[in-house]
Amino acid sequence: MTKAQKRRMDVTEMRMLRWICGKTMLDMIPSSVFRENLKVRSIVDKLREERLRWFRHVRRRPLTAPVRRVEALTVDGVRRRGRPTRRWEDRIKLDLKELILTEDMTSNRMAWRARITIDE
């Protein structure tokens, strides 16, 4: 997800939260007030949590599982010019770094769930 996409998701989410509460931007109420009243987390944080849940699921699969075999798959050919697009694997590495996690932690389900869950 790019910064622009993240910003658009945040804006859209806040528009929906304001709409649920029956308020507009003209009411000049901070975004944090809506989050506290509705007891919701950021959609971007929720996406990261779900990404890491899937990562744990994939890591616990045997190496012969199709999901694990695709990870090791390499595609021959010439890459396009310019900056490479961000892969799922790259995003996971950044998420693990942000939350100070390692791949070894995926074996303990309860500890992993506790570390990736973002509280209100």
Side-chain angles (χ1 to χ4, degrees):
M1 179 181 300
T2 64
K3 288 181 184 178
Q5 290 170 335
K6 185 176 178 180
R7 187 175 61 246
R8 287 175 59 192
M9 295 259 306
D10 285 334
V11 168
T12 304
E13 179 186 18
M14 287 314 303
R15 289 173 97 185
M16 289 181 205
L17 294 179
R18 283 189 180 90
W19 178 66
I20 289 169
C21 293
K23 303 292 181 184
T24 65
M25 288 287 289
L26 297 175
D27 296 327
M28 309 257 313
I29 300 171
S31 301
S32 58
V33 172
F34 294 109
R35 288 197 192 283
E36 288 174 15
N37 288 346
L38 298 173
K39 294 182 176 49
V40 294
R41 298 178 293 194
S42 169
I43 195 164
V44 174
D45 291 339
K46 187 64 177 170
L47 286 171
R48 179 177 60 198
E49 183 180 325
E50 294 303 317
R51 222 178 3 250
L52 289 171
R53 282 184 63 220
W54 178 251
F55 173 71
R56 179 185 173 273
H57 174 74
V58 169
R59 281 291 169 232
R60 293 187 66 228
R61 303 286 300 187
L63 291 173
T64 57
V67 172
R68 293 296 298 268
R69 287 188 303 189
V70 169
E71 281 185 326
L73 186 69
T74 57
V75 180
D76 296 332
V78 179
R79 293 175 57 190
R80 293 185 296 177
R81 288 180 49 186
R83 183 180 191 156
T85 56
R86 179 165 292 166
R87 300 173 302 169
W88 180 76
E89 183 179 322
D90 300 332
R91 184 67 241 179
I92 289 293
K93 286 180 182 177
L94 287 173
D95 289 340
L96 292 174
K97 189 175 180 180
E98 284 177 19
L99 296 177
I100 312 168
L101 297 169
T102 62
E103 291 185 25
D104 300 334
M105 293 179 177
T106 58
S107 60
N108 186 345
R109 181 176 188 259
M110 299 305 277
W112 182 260
R113 181 63 66 96
R115 294 289 301 271
I116 67 170
T117 303
I118 287 75
D119 297 326
E120 280 98 356

